Amino acid sequence: MATAHLTHEYPGELNDVPGWFWPLDHVLFSWFLERQERLDTRGDLLELGAYLGKSAILLGHRLRDGETLTVCDLFGAEPPDAANRAEAAKSYASLTRQAFERNYLAFHDTLPTIVQAPSSAVVDEVAPGSCRFVHIDASHLYEHVEGDIGAARELLGPDGIVVLDDFRSEHTPGVAVAAWEAVLNRGLRPVCLSSQKLYGTWGDPEPVREELLAALRGRDDIAVTVERAAGHRLVRTRARGKGLRPPSLPASRHPAPVPSIGAGRPEAAPVPGPAPQARPAARATRPSTGRDRARRLALDLLPPLVTRAVRRYRAAQRAKAGGAAGAVQSRP
Ligand SMILES: C[S@@+](CC[C@H](N)C(=O)[O-])C[C@H]1O[C@@H](n2cnc3c(N)ncnc32)[C@H](O)[C@@H]1O
């Protein structure tokens, strides 16, 4: 947990929000939530552990009329025990609720329901059986995760989806114990695994798993393997290279301005198009040249805001060049 940094800039896009929520999980969250929408599965969304809002912002993007997103986080409040206090001091020392709210409101009109308290409080705030999707990503200590899994079970409706973060990370053995204990002893059925997260249900996993397998097999950017363990079918998913096609992501109200490149005076910003979908495929298939490497190095040395703006500008230029023929057009 050492990669995220707090920032006082408004996020120009979801990937500008610091956090531990990776592109393959953007795809999987979106797929599960879109499927629920398709099947008209109603219910609220719940996140335990929101940090600066990266995953909460995506959850908010999938809310439908009449549904509620609740996030529960300490946001700097006193942790309930010494081990949790040490965890918070090490990884989330400068987190504030205000920073979360600022990020969230960069993408959405209204805040979610916020429970600023230990995650054990959530069962008093959310009605039993009212949720269709619960993301467990608060404390990564066994006692807490074990309790959070129990809460999710109580709060999820039939066929609801629970996601357990960091179920197999080297630094979070307590989550691994709680996750597999839930699978072996508490009736949780895995639907799929990503590098970081276990997606499961206390309902029937077969229909959703089969549909997911069919959807993933139609994609060349996600590798899937299936194996059996202790009577469970484990579907493992992995991003192939860096060219993962992103799902629809919420747009920021503060997109980074695109500066002119090479010219000494400001130019009109190009209109950003749907190019990011095409860009990873183009990158993955074109052999890298010395010029490419020099350009990447130059980008890496620029301040992050400028780098982002330059990347967006180039993507927009590529989209323009691709023209009406669409996304595949930018493959060489
Ligand atoms: C790994 S971060 C969440 C990351 C976030 N979901 C994302 O995708 O960027 C864990 C969060 O859990 C919160 N947290 C830690 N212990 C907690 C507890 N006992 N109850 C509620 N929240 C807790 C921390 O304040 C931190 O914001």
Side-chain angles (χ1 to χ4, degrees), residues 133-181:
F133 192 96
V134 175
H135 182 208
I136 299 182
D137 193 8
S139 167
H140 287 38
L141 300 166
Y142 170 79
E143 287 74 12
H144 292 269
V145 183
E146 191 260 354
D148 294 347
I149 292 172
R153 186 177 191 175
E154 183 181 328
L155 302 178
L156 277 169
D159 295 322
I161 296 292
V162 63
V163 187
L164 307 181
D165 182 67
D166 266 338
F167 78 104
R168 59 171 168 167
S169 297
E170 180 270 331
H171 62 292
T172 56
V175 185
V177 174
W180 294 119
E181 176 189 56

mmCIF file of all heavy atoms in Angstrom, residues 133-181:
data_model
loop_
_atom_site.group_PDB
_atom_site.id
_atom_site.type_symbol
_atom_site.label_atom_id
_atom_site.label_comp_id
_atom_site.label_asym_id
_atom_site.label_seq_id
_atom_site.Cartn_x
_atom_site.Cartn_y
_atom_site.Cartn_z
ATOM 1 N N PHE A 133 -24.861 -5.041 -4.179
ATOM 2 C CA PHE A 133 -23.412 -5.097 -4.425
ATOM 3 C C PHE A 133 -22.704 -4.507 -3.210
ATOM 4 O O PHE A 133 -23.020 -3.400 -2.777
ATOM 5 C CB PHE A 133 -23.103 -4.261 -5.671
ATOM 6 C CG PHE A 133 -21.714 -4.437 -6.238
ATOM 7 C CD1 PHE A 133 -21.471 -5.333 -7.285
ATOM 8 C CD2 PHE A 133 -20.651 -3.689 -5.758
ATOM 9 C CE1 PHE A 133 -20.197 -5.484 -7.829
ATOM 10 C CE2 PHE A 133 -19.373 -3.837 -6.296
ATOM 11 C CZ PHE A 133 -19.154 -4.727 -7.336
ATOM 12 N N VAL A 134 -21.761 -5.268 -2.641
ATOM 13 C CA VAL A 134 -20.988 -4.782 -1.487
ATOM 14 C C VAL A 134 -19.502 -4.954 -1.777
ATOM 15 O O VAL A 134 -19.051 -6.052 -2.143
ATOM 16 C CB VAL A 134 -21.352 -5.566 -0.198
ATOM 17 C CG1 VAL A 134 -20.460 -5.122 0.956
ATOM 18 C CG2 VAL A 134 -22.824 -5.373 0.174
ATOM 19 N N HIS A 135 -18.747 -3.876 -1.640
ATOM 20 C CA HIS A 135 -17.295 -3.923 -1.824
ATOM 21 C C HIS A 135 -16.631 -3.820 -0.461
ATOM 22 O O HIS A 135 -16.786 -2.812 0.239
ATOM 23 C CB HIS A 135 -16.868 -2.737 -2.717
ATOM 24 C CG HIS A 135 -15.401 -2.702 -3.009
ATOM 25 N ND1 HIS A 135 -14.718 -1.541 -3.272
ATOM 26 C CD2 HIS A 135 -14.478 -3.692 -3.106
ATOM 27 C CE1 HIS A 135 -13.450 -1.814 -3.510
ATOM 28 N NE2 HIS A 135 -13.277 -3.114 -3.417
ATOM 29 N N ILE A 136 -15.884 -4.861 -0.082
ATOM 30 C CA ILE A 136 -15.214 -4.875 1.226
ATOM 31 C C ILE A 136 -13.747 -4.525 1.024
ATOM 32 O O ILE A 136 -12.967 -5.314 0.487
ATOM 33 C CB ILE A 136 -15.358 -6.262 1.891
ATOM 34 C CG1 ILE A 136 -16.834 -6.584 2.121
ATOM 35 C CG2 ILE A 136 -14.561 -6.309 3.183
ATOM 36 C CD1 ILE A 136 -17.077 -7.904 2.826
ATOM 37 N N ASP A 137 -13.381 -3.318 1.489
ATOM 38 C CA ASP A 137 -12.014 -2.830 1.249
ATOM 39 C C ASP A 137 -11.609 -1.876 2.374
ATOM 40 O O ASP A 137 -10.977 -0.856 2.143
ATOM 41 C CB ASP A 137 -11.990 -2.114 -0.123
ATOM 42 C CG ASP A 137 -10.581 -1.845 -0.618
ATOM 43 O OD1 ASP A 137 -9.626 -2.329 0.006
ATOM 44 O OD2 ASP A 137 -10.447 -1.137 -1.631
ATOM 45 N N ALA A 138 -11.995 -2.213 3.609
ATOM 46 C CA ALA A 138 -11.669 -1.344 4.754
ATOM 47 C C ALA A 138 -10.402 -1.868 5.423
ATOM 48 O O ALA A 138 -9.370 -1.997 4.756
ATOM 49 C CB ALA A 138 -12.860 -1.278 5.703
ATOM 50 N N SER A 139 -10.450 -2.168 6.705
ATOM 51 C CA SER A 139 -9.261 -2.746 7.340
ATOM 52 C C SER A 139 -8.938 -4.078 6.668
ATOM 53 O O SER A 139 -9.840 -4.798 6.225
ATOM 54 C CB SER A 139 -9.539 -2.999 8.820
ATOM 55 O OG SER A 139 -8.512 -3.818 9.348
ATOM 56 N N HIS A 140 -7.656 -4.398 6.578
ATOM 57 C CA HIS A 140 -7.260 -5.672 5.983
ATOM 58 C C HIS A 140 -6.816 -6.668 7.064
ATOM 59 O O HIS A 140 -6.148 -7.652 6.780
ATOM 60 C CB HIS A 140 -6.162 -5.434 4.936
ATOM 61 C CG HIS A 140 -6.710 -4.783 3.674
ATOM 62 N ND1 HIS A 140 -7.684 -3.826 3.704
ATOM 63 C CD2 HIS A 140 -6.442 -4.968 2.372
ATOM 64 C CE1 HIS A 140 -7.989 -3.448 2.470
ATOM 65 N NE2 HIS A 140 -7.239 -4.127 1.629
ATOM 66 N N LEU A 141 -7.219 -6.412 8.301
ATOM 67 C CA LEU A 141 -6.895 -7.315 9.407
ATOM 68 C C LEU A 141 -8.007 -8.358 9.554
ATOM 69 O O LEU A 141 -9.192 -8.030 9.401
ATOM 70 C CB LEU A 141 -6.781 -6.502 10.707
ATOM 71 C CG LEU A 141 -5.686 -5.420 10.657
ATOM 72 C CD1 LEU A 141 -5.854 -4.447 11.826
ATOM 73 C CD2 LEU A 141 -4.304 -6.073 10.689
ATOM 74 N N TYR A 142 -7.599 -9.584 9.898
ATOM 75 C CA TYR A 142 -8.542 -10.705 9.889
ATOM 76 C C TYR A 142 -9.840 -10.402 10.650
ATOM 77 O O TYR A 142 -10.937 -10.568 10.113
ATOM 78 C CB TYR A 142 -7.888 -11.981 10.460
ATOM 79 C CG TYR A 142 -8.910 -13.058 10.682
ATOM 80 C CD1 TYR A 142 -9.373 -13.826 9.614
ATOM 81 C CD2 TYR A 142 -9.459 -13.281 11.954
ATOM 82 C CE1 TYR A 142 -10.356 -14.790 9.802
ATOM 83 C CE2 TYR A 142 -10.442 -14.244 12.144
ATOM 84 C CZ TYR A 142 -10.888 -14.990 11.069
ATOM 85 O OH TYR A 142 -11.866 -15.935 11.257
ATOM 86 N N GLU A 143 -9.737 -9.936 11.896
ATOM 87 C CA GLU A 143 -10.947 -9.770 12.728
ATOM 88 C C GLU A 143 -11.933 -8.816 12.063
ATOM 89 O O GLU A 143 -13.149 -8.998 12.156
ATOM 90 C CB GLU A 143 -10.593 -9.236 14.127
ATOM 91 C CG GLU A 143 -9.926 -10.255 15.048
ATOM 92 C CD GLU A 143 -8.480 -10.541 14.681
ATOM 93 O OE1 GLU A 143 -7.908 -9.783 13.849
ATOM 94 O OE2 GLU A 143 -7.918 -11.525 15.199
ATOM 95 N N HIS A 144 -11.403 -7.792 11.415
ATOM 96 C CA HIS A 144 -12.283 -6.813 10.769
ATOM 97 C C HIS A 144 -12.909 -7.401 9.506
ATOM 98 O O HIS A 144 -14.123 -7.268 9.284
ATOM 99 C CB HIS A 144 -11.499 -5.540 10.435
ATOM 100 C CG HIS A 144 -11.075 -4.795 11.654
ATOM 101 N ND1 HIS A 144 -11.835 -3.807 12.226
ATOM 102 C CD2 HIS A 144 -9.969 -4.922 12.437
ATOM 103 C CE1 HIS A 144 -11.218 -3.341 13.309
ATOM 104 N NE2 HIS A 144 -10.081 -4.013 13.454
ATOM 105 N N VAL A 145 -12.083 -8.065 8.699
ATOM 106 C CA VAL A 145 -12.604 -8.582 7.431
ATOM 107 C C VAL A 145 -13.638 -9.676 7.704
ATOM 108 O O VAL A 145 -14.680 -9.743 7.035
ATOM 109 C CB VAL A 145 -11.454 -9.126 6.541
ATOM 110 C CG1 VAL A 145 -12.000 -9.581 5.203
ATOM 111 C CG2 VAL A 145 -10.385 -8.065 6.341
ATOM 112 N N GLU A 146 -13.353 -10.473 8.695
ATOM 113 C CA GLU A 146 -14.301 -11.537 9.065
ATOM 114 C C GLU A 146 -15.661 -10.922 9.423
ATOM 115 O O GLU A 146 -16.717 -11.380 8.978
ATOM 116 C CB GLU A 146 -13.700 -12.320 10.244
ATOM 117 C CG GLU A 146 -14.404 -13.594 10.582
ATOM 118 C CD GLU A 146 -15.333 -13.436 11.774
ATOM 119 O OE1 GLU A 146 -15.352 -12.382 12.418
ATOM 120 O OE2 GLU A 146 -16.058 -14.375 12.042
ATOM 121 N N GLY A 147 -15.620 -9.836 10.184
ATOM 122 C CA GLY A 147 -16.865 -9.131 10.547
ATOM 123 C C GLY A 147 -17.512 -8.487 9.328
ATOM 124 O O GLY A 147 -18.741 -8.524 9.174
ATOM 125 N N ASP A 148 -16.701 -7.915 8.452
ATOM 126 C CA ASP A 148 -17.250 -7.250 7.257
ATOM 127 C C ASP A 148 -17.932 -8.267 6.335
ATOM 128 O O ASP A 148 -18.968 -7.966 5.727
ATOM 129 C CB ASP A 148 -16.135 -6.522 6.487
ATOM 130 C CG ASP A 148 -15.553 -5.348 7.283
ATOM 131 O OD1 ASP A 148 -16.163 -4.960 8.297
ATOM 132 O OD2 ASP A 148 -14.488 -4.834 6.889
ATOM 133 N N ILE A 149 -17.360 -9.463 6.266
ATOM 134 C CA ILE A 149 -17.985 -10.501 5.430
ATOM 135 C C ILE A 149 -19.343 -10.892 6.033
ATOM 136 O O ILE A 149 -20.345 -11.050 5.318
ATOM 137 C CB ILE A 149 -17.042 -11.728 5.289
ATOM 138 C CG1 ILE A 149 -15.810 -11.335 4.455
ATOM 139 C CG2 ILE A 149 -17.770 -12.921 4.665
ATOM 140 C CD1 ILE A 149 -14.713 -12.389 4.398
ATOM 141 N N GLY A 150 -19.387 -11.005 7.351
ATOM 142 C CA GLY A 150 -20.665 -11.309 8.021
ATOM 143 C C GLY A 150 -21.692 -10.216 7.753
ATOM 144 O O GLY A 150 -22.873 -10.488 7.487
ATOM 145 N N ALA A 151 -21.232 -8.958 7.789
ATOM 146 C CA ALA A 151 -22.153 -7.839 7.526
ATOM 147 C C ALA A 151 -22.663 -7.915 6.089
ATOM 148 O O ALA A 151 -23.865 -7.730 5.833
ATOM 149 C CB ALA A 151 -21.443 -6.517 7.776
ATOM 150 N N ALA A 152 -21.747 -8.190 5.156
ATOM 151 C CA ALA A 152 -22.158 -8.256 3.742
ATOM 152 C C ALA A 152 -23.217 -9.329 3.552
ATOM 153 O O ALA A 152 -24.214 -9.139 2.844
ATOM 154 C CB ALA A 152 -20.943 -8.539 2.862
ATOM 155 N N ARG A 153 -23.011 -10.452 4.203
ATOM 156 C CA ARG A 153 -23.974 -11.545 4.066
ATOM 157 C C ARG A 153 -25.360 -11.118 4.547
ATOM 158 O O ARG A 153 -26.381 -11.451 3.943
ATOM 159 C CB ARG A 153 -23.481 -12.751 4.875
ATOM 160 C CG ARG A 153 -24.335 -13.953 4.682
ATOM 161 C CD ARG A 153 -23.800 -15.132 5.425
ATOM 162 N NE ARG A 153 -24.485 -16.347 5.024
ATOM 163 C CZ ARG A 153 -24.167 -17.547 5.428
ATOM 164 N NH1 ARG A 153 -23.136 -17.721 6.221
ATOM 165 N NH2 ARG A 153 -24.839 -18.595 5.031
ATOM 166 N N GLU A 154 -25.366 -10.353 5.627
ATOM 167 C CA GLU A 154 -26.645 -9.903 6.193
ATOM 168 C C GLU A 154 -27.298 -8.816 5.318
ATOM 169 O O GLU A 154 -28.520 -8.762 5.191
ATOM 170 C CB GLU A 154 -26.358 -9.343 7.592
ATOM 171 C CG GLU A 154 -27.572 -8.910 8.347
ATOM 172 C CD GLU A 154 -27.181 -8.339 9.721
ATOM 173 O OE1 GLU A 154 -26.184 -8.777 10.333
ATOM 174 O OE2 GLU A 154 -27.903 -7.421 10.173
ATOM 175 N N LEU A 155 -26.486 -7.986 4.714
ATOM 176 C CA LEU A 155 -27.029 -6.808 4.023
ATOM 177 C C LEU A 155 -27.357 -7.069 2.558
ATOM 178 O O LEU A 155 -28.136 -6.335 1.944
ATOM 179 C CB LEU A 155 -26.038 -5.638 4.132
ATOM 180 C CG LEU A 155 -25.690 -5.236 5.577
ATOM 181 C CD1 LEU A 155 -24.669 -4.117 5.610
ATOM 182 C CD2 LEU A 155 -26.952 -4.818 6.350
ATOM 183 N N LEU A 156 -26.748 -8.118 1.977
ATOM 184 C CA LEU A 156 -27.003 -8.407 0.562
ATOM 185 C C LEU A 156 -28.344 -9.081 0.363
ATOM 186 O O LEU A 156 -28.758 -9.919 1.169
ATOM 187 C CB LEU A 156 -25.922 -9.335 0.009
ATOM 188 C CG LEU A 156 -24.606 -8.677 -0.437
ATOM 189 C CD1 LEU A 156 -23.555 -9.748 -0.710
ATOM 190 C CD2 LEU A 156 -24.802 -7.792 -1.672
ATOM 191 N N GLY A 157 -28.997 -8.723 -0.739
ATOM 192 C CA GLY A 157 -30.206 -9.426 -1.132
ATOM 193 C C GLY A 157 -29.840 -10.720 -1.851
ATOM 194 O O GLY A 157 -28.658 -11.008 -2.065
ATOM 195 N N PRO A 158 -30.869 -11.500 -2.278
ATOM 196 C CA PRO A 158 -30.604 -12.754 -2.961
ATOM 197 C C PRO A 158 -29.785 -12.487 -4.220
ATOM 198 O O PRO A 158 -30.052 -11.538 -4.949
ATOM 199 C CB PRO A 158 -31.998 -13.268 -3.342
ATOM 200 C CG PRO A 158 -32.971 -12.421 -2.624
ATOM 201 C CD PRO A 158 -32.298 -11.173 -2.179
ATOM 202 N N ASP A 159 -28.771 -13.325 -4.470
ATOM 203 C CA ASP A 159 -27.909 -13.202 -5.651
ATOM 204 C C ASP A 159 -27.089 -11.912 -5.679
ATOM 205 O O ASP A 159 -26.544 -11.538 -6.714
ATOM 206 C CB ASP A 159 -28.709 -13.332 -6.959
ATOM 207 C CG ASP A 159 -29.306 -14.725 -7.100
ATOM 208 O OD1 ASP A 159 -28.622 -15.693 -6.709
ATOM 209 O OD2 ASP A 159 -30.459 -14.833 -7.555
ATOM 210 N N GLY A 160 -27.008 -11.207 -4.544
ATOM 211 C CA GLY A 160 -26.142 -10.026 -4.472
ATOM 212 C C GLY A 160 -24.680 -10.433 -4.632
ATOM 213 O O GLY A 160 -24.300 -11.582 -4.409
ATOM 214 N N ILE A 161 -23.874 -9.452 -5.016
ATOM 215 C CA ILE A 161 -22.441 -9.717 -5.262
ATOM 216 C C ILE A 161 -21.611 -9.038 -4.173
ATOM 217 O O ILE A 161 -21.816 -7.872 -3.846
ATOM 218 C CB ILE A 161 -22.011 -9.160 -6.647
ATOM 219 C CG1 ILE A 161 -22.751 -9.888 -7.783
ATOM 220 C CG2 ILE A 161 -20.498 -9.247 -6.841
ATOM 221 C CD1 ILE A 161 -22.368 -11.346 -7.976
ATOM 222 N N VAL A 162 -20.660 -9.814 -3.621
ATOM 223 C CA VAL A 162 -19.718 -9.232 -2.673
ATOM 224 C C VAL A 162 -18.330 -9.295 -3.297
ATOM 225 O O VAL A 162 -17.995 -10.254 -3.996
ATOM 226 C CB VAL A 162 -19.740 -9.965 -1.305
ATOM 227 C CG1 VAL A 162 -19.315 -11.424 -1.433
ATOM 228 C CG2 VAL A 162 -18.852 -9.246 -0.296
ATOM 229 N N VAL A 163 -17.528 -8.245 -3.065
ATOM 230 C CA VAL A 163 -16.169 -8.212 -3.596
ATOM 231 C C VAL A 163 -15.213 -8.031 -2.420
ATOM 232 O O VAL A 163 -15.380 -7.097 -1.619
ATOM 233 C CB VAL A 163 -15.995 -7.031 -4.583
ATOM 234 C CG1 VAL A 163 -14.628 -7.106 -5.253
ATOM 235 C CG2 VAL A 163 -17.102 -7.009 -5.629
ATOM 236 N N LEU A 164 -14.244 -8.937 -2.315
ATOM 237 C CA LEU A 164 -13.267 -8.867 -1.222
ATOM 238 C C LEU A 164 -11.934 -8.406 -1.782
ATOM 239 O O LEU A 164 -11.334 -9.089 -2.618
ATOM 240 C CB LEU A 164 -13.069 -10.250 -0.584
ATOM 241 C CG LEU A 164 -14.311 -10.995 -0.116
ATOM 242 C CD1 LEU A 164 -13.911 -12.329 0.513
ATOM 243 C CD2 LEU A 164 -15.060 -10.148 0.902
ATOM 244 N N ASP A 165 -11.478 -7.252 -1.308
ATOM 245 C CA ASP A 165 -10.220 -6.721 -1.832
ATOM 246 C C ASP A 165 -9.018 -7.380 -1.163
ATOM 247 O O ASP A 165 -9.069 -7.781 -0.001
ATOM 248 C CB ASP A 165 -10.152 -5.206 -1.588
ATOM 249 C CG ASP A 165 -8.875 -4.611 -2.153
ATOM 250 O OD1 ASP A 165 -8.724 -4.617 -3.378
ATOM 251 O OD2 ASP A 165 -8.011 -4.179 -1.357
ATOM 252 N N ASP A 166 -7.933 -7.462 -1.913
ATOM 253 C CA ASP A 166 -6.635 -7.918 -1.399
ATOM 254 C C ASP A 166 -6.705 -9.308 -0.772
ATOM 255 O O ASP A 166 -6.050 -9.581 0.231
ATOM 256 C CB ASP A 166 -6.070 -6.904 -0.381
ATOM 257 C CG ASP A 166 -5.130 -5.912 -1.067
ATOM 258 O OD1 ASP A 166 -4.608 -6.240 -2.146
ATOM 259 O OD2 ASP A 166 -4.919 -4.822 -0.522
ATOM 260 N N PHE A 167 -7.503 -10.182 -1.411
ATOM 261 C CA PHE A 167 -7.693 -11.517 -0.819
ATOM 262 C C PHE A 167 -6.456 -12.401 -0.993
ATOM 263 O O PHE A 167 -6.387 -13.464 -0.392
ATOM 264 C CB PHE A 167 -8.908 -12.201 -1.449
ATOM 265 C CG PHE A 167 -8.619 -12.780 -2.808
ATOM 266 C CD1 PHE A 167 -8.440 -14.145 -2.975
ATOM 267 C CD2 PHE A 167 -8.511 -11.961 -3.912
ATOM 268 C CE1 PHE A 167 -8.160 -14.683 -4.216
ATOM 269 C CE2 PHE A 167 -8.221 -12.485 -5.160
ATOM 270 C CZ PHE A 167 -8.044 -13.845 -5.311
ATOM 271 N N ARG A 168 -5.494 -11.954 -1.781
ATOM 272 C CA ARG A 168 -4.296 -12.786 -1.898
ATOM 273 C C ARG A 168 -3.017 -11.969 -1.996
ATOM 274 O O ARG A 168 -2.021 -12.439 -2.533
ATOM 275 C CB ARG A 168 -4.402 -13.699 -3.109
ATOM 276 C CG ARG A 168 -4.571 -12.961 -4.419
ATOM 277 C CD ARG A 168 -4.435 -13.959 -5.531
ATOM 278 N NE ARG A 168 -4.870 -13.397 -6.804
ATOM 279 C CZ ARG A 168 -4.608 -13.982 -7.946
ATOM 280 N NH1 ARG A 168 -3.932 -15.096 -7.968
ATOM 281 N NH2 ARG A 168 -5.026 -13.452 -9.066
ATOM 282 N N SER A 169 -3.040 -10.746 -1.468
ATOM 283 C CA SER A 169 -1.818 -9.941 -1.518
ATOM 284 C C SER A 169 -0.842 -10.414 -0.455
ATOM 285 O O SER A 169 -1.245 -10.837 0.634
ATOM 286 C CB SER A 169 -2.141 -8.464 -1.309
ATOM 287 O OG SER A 169 -2.954 -8.019 -2.358
ATOM 288 N N GLU A 170 0.408 -10.266 -0.768
ATOM 289 C CA GLU A 170 1.479 -10.722 0.122
ATOM 290 C C GLU A 170 1.381 -10.066 1.510
ATOM 291 O O GLU A 170 1.642 -10.704 2.526
ATOM 292 C CB GLU A 170 2.813 -10.415 -0.581
ATOM 293 C CG GLU A 170 4.067 -10.795 0.157
ATOM 294 C CD GLU A 170 4.570 -9.673 1.045
ATOM 295 O OE1 GLU A 170 4.341 -8.485 0.728
ATOM 296 O OE2 GLU A 170 5.150 -10.001 2.076
ATOM 297 N N HIS A 171 0.926 -8.789 1.530
ATOM 298 C CA HIS A 171 0.937 -8.044 2.793
ATOM 299 C C HIS A 171 -0.398 -8.122 3.545
ATOM 300 O O HIS A 171 -0.562 -7.459 4.563
ATOM 301 C CB HIS A 171 1.293 -6.573 2.529
ATOM 302 C CG HIS A 171 0.288 -5.875 1.655
ATOM 303 N ND1 HIS A 171 0.122 -6.184 0.322
ATOM 304 C CD2 HIS A 171 -0.612 -4.904 1.926
ATOM 305 C CE1 HIS A 171 -0.835 -5.417 -0.181
ATOM 306 N NE2 HIS A 171 -1.301 -4.642 0.765
ATOM 307 N N THR A 172 -1.364 -8.947 3.039
ATOM 308 C CA THR A 172 -2.675 -8.982 3.711
ATOM 309 C C THR A 172 -3.121 -10.433 3.984
ATOM 310 O O THR A 172 -4.186 -10.855 3.518
ATOM 311 C CB THR A 172 -3.745 -8.277 2.853
ATOM 312 O OG1 THR A 172 -3.777 -8.883 1.546
ATOM 313 C CG2 THR A 172 -3.452 -6.806 2.691
ATOM 314 N N PRO A 173 -2.329 -11.186 4.760
ATOM 315 C CA PRO A 173 -2.703 -12.587 5.016
ATOM 316 C C PRO A 173 -4.041 -12.702 5.743
ATOM 317 O O PRO A 173 -4.764 -13.685 5.564
ATOM 318 C CB PRO A 173 -1.542 -13.118 5.872
ATOM 319 C CG PRO A 173 -0.914 -11.890 6.462
ATOM 320 C CD PRO A 173 -1.087 -10.805 5.440
ATOM 321 N N GLY A 174 -4.391 -11.717 6.549
ATOM 322 C CA GLY A 174 -5.663 -11.771 7.286
ATOM 323 C C GLY A 174 -6.857 -11.782 6.348
ATOM 324 O O GLY A 174 -7.874 -12.440 6.617
ATOM 325 N N VAL A 175 -6.756 -11.057 5.229
ATOM 326 C CA VAL A 175 -7.867 -11.075 4.269
ATOM 327 C C VAL A 175 -7.950 -12.456 3.626
ATOM 328 O O VAL A 175 -9.046 -13.004 3.440
ATOM 329 C CB VAL A 175 -7.690 -9.999 3.164
ATOM 330 C CG1 VAL A 175 -8.926 -9.971 2.277
ATOM 331 C CG2 VAL A 175 -7.435 -8.623 3.748
ATOM 332 N N ALA A 176 -6.784 -13.035 3.301
ATOM 333 C CA ALA A 176 -6.787 -14.361 2.673
ATOM 334 C C ALA A 176 -7.469 -15.379 3.590
ATOM 335 O O ALA A 176 -8.331 -16.153 3.153
ATOM 336 C CB ALA A 176 -5.353 -14.790 2.366
ATOM 337 N N VAL A 177 -7.119 -15.342 4.876
ATOM 338 C CA VAL A 177 -7.714 -16.306 5.818
ATOM 339 C C VAL A 177 -9.228 -16.083 5.880
ATOM 340 O O VAL A 177 -10.023 -17.032 5.768
ATOM 341 C CB VAL A 177 -7.078 -16.161 7.226
ATOM 342 C CG1 VAL A 177 -7.802 -17.048 8.226
ATOM 343 C CG2 VAL A 177 -5.595 -16.511 7.180
ATOM 344 N N ALA A 178 -9.640 -14.828 6.022
ATOM 345 C CA ALA A 178 -11.085 -14.546 6.144
ATOM 346 C C ALA A 178 -11.825 -14.917 4.859
ATOM 347 O O ALA A 178 -12.954 -15.431 4.907
ATOM 348 C CB ALA A 178 -11.290 -13.069 6.473
ATOM 349 N N ALA A 179 -11.192 -14.663 3.712
ATOM 350 C CA ALA A 179 -11.867 -14.924 2.435
ATOM 351 C C ALA A 179 -12.078 -16.421 2.230
ATOM 352 O O ALA A 179 -13.196 -16.876 1.941
ATOM 353 C CB ALA A 179 -11.040 -14.342 1.283
ATOM 354 N N TRP A 180 -11.011 -17.206 2.388
ATOM 355 C CA TRP A 180 -11.152 -18.645 2.120
ATOM 356 C C TRP A 180 -11.947 -19.345 3.225
ATOM 357 O O TRP A 180 -12.643 -20.324 2.964
ATOM 358 C CB TRP A 180 -9.783 -19.282 1.893
ATOM 359 C CG TRP A 180 -9.150 -18.748 0.623
ATOM 360 C CD1 TRP A 180 -7.980 -18.070 0.513
ATOM 361 C CD2 TRP A 180 -9.699 -18.834 -0.719
ATOM 362 N NE1 TRP A 180 -7.754 -17.713 -0.806
ATOM 363 C CE2 TRP A 180 -8.786 -18.169 -1.576
ATOM 364 C CE3 TRP A 180 -10.851 -19.373 -1.273
ATOM 365 C CZ2 TRP A 180 -8.995 -18.049 -2.956
ATOM 366 C CZ3 TRP A 180 -11.068 -19.256 -2.648
ATOM 367 C CH2 TRP A 180 -10.150 -18.608 -3.468
ATOM 368 N N GLU A 181 -11.890 -18.805 4.427
ATOM 369 C CA GLU A 181 -12.750 -19.327 5.498
ATOM 370 C C GLU A 181 -14.222 -19.134 5.110
ATOM 371 O O GLU A 181 -15.049 -20.037 5.299
ATOM 372 C CB GLU A 181 -12.452 -18.564 6.789
ATOM 373 C CG GLU A 181 -13.354 -18.950 7.947
ATOM 374 C CD GLU A 181 -13.156 -18.018 9.134
ATOM 375 O OE1 GLU A 181 -13.315 -16.781 8.958
ATOM 376 O OE2 GLU A 181 -12.860 -18.519 10.214
#
